[in-house]
Amino acid sequence: MGETTPQPQPARTEVESLLSVLDRNRRTFAWKTSDLDAKGLRATTAASTMTLGGLVKHMALVEADWLAVKLAGQEYGAPWDAVDFDADPDWEWRTGALDEPEDVHRVWRDAVDRSRKLVAEVVEERGLDGPAAFTWPDGRTPTVRDMLLDMIEEYARHTGHADILREAVDGRVGEGAPEDFTC
């Protein structure tokens, strides 16, 4: 089972290209955080308190916040709508480190599945140049394209964190998931 350098899937349109890169980043993130027991998902390194479990749950929240709420104009949904983030601003990081591995990965997979459906609907309705469902404090409204690019950047940054943490846990390194990896 050899590692492959991640490659975007061949695409004909800009939408297909953006979604291919986002899915490649999601797949690499999933591989970096998969196949660990609770101890592995709770491990920290260096001076950071960041864990792979917290990172997985954080990315589930980012999916909901950026793509469901800010892009599509939907509610956060479960489990986020039951959380008092003012009282516990690091809830996803804290509980992600405590949750069972299958539970934290399920929350992430559910968020990704929801995002894929919502993004397809929004792109169909508004196109890449259409507006997101929110406006920045300075009055600017990002485009659908801007939001997808931001999600790609979020995954790229946090996959780098996952890379460092995973190497500390069991030595897994590499740029991309093996061809036979499924998430």
Side-chain angles (χ1 to χ4, degrees):
M1 177 163 91
E3 174 195 324
T4 60
T5 302
Q7 299 294 320
Q9 296 300 312
R12 292 184 304 264
T13 68
E14 183 181 6
V15 169
E16 291 170 333
S17 294
L18 288 169
L19 296 179
S20 175
V21 172
L22 179 56
D23 277 341
R24 184 184 76 226
N25 276 277
R26 284 174 173 150
R27 186 172 182 272
T28 301
F29 179 80
W31 175 64
K32 292 289 182 176
T33 62
S34 69
D35 302 324
L36 288 170
D37 60 12
K39 181 179 178 186
L41 284 178
R42 293 178 182 136
T44 60
T45 185
S48 177
T49 60
M50 185 183 294
T51 65
L52 286 165
L55 195 55
V56 171
K57 204 161 186 180
H58 173 72
M59 286 309 298
L61 175 58
V62 170
E63 290 272 356
D65 184 45
W66 281 92
L67 297 179
V69 175
K70 291 177 178 160
L71 177 66
Q74 303 286 317
E75 297 296 322
Y76 279 92
W80 320 112
D81 52 5
V83 178
D84 180 355
F85 282 102
D86 289 331
D88 193 356
D90 293 326
W91 181 84
E92 80 273 20
W93 293 100
R94 183 180 55 74
T95 61
L98 302 174
D99 291 348
E100 291 300 316
E102 55 275 358
D103 294 336
V104 75
H105 285 288
R106 181 184 32 75
V107 168
W108 178 78
R109 281 191 309 274
D110 289 350
V112 169
D113 289 345
R114 180 182 182 205
S115 290
R116 284 185 176 128
K117 290 174 189 160
L118 290 173
V119 167
E121 291 170 8
V122 168
V123 167
E124 176 71 25
E125 178 183 303
R126 302 179 210 162
L128 289 175
D129 292 322
F134 85 107
T135 301
W136 293 111
D138 67 3
R140 293 177 301 123
T141 299
T143 65
V144 172
R145 179 185 295 102
D146 293 333
M147 298 300 291
L148 292 175
L149 289 168
D150 282 347
M151 279 302 295
I152 290 166
E153 189 271 333
E154 282 287 329
Y155 270 103
R157 176 185 326 120
H158 290 313
T159 298
H161 295 130
D163 194 37
I164 292 167
L165 289 164
R166 184 60 186 253
E167 184 176 6
V169 170
D170 66 3
R172 180 181 282 182
V173 296
E175 286 187 42
E179 287 184 32
D180 62 350
F181 174 76
T182 57
C183 54

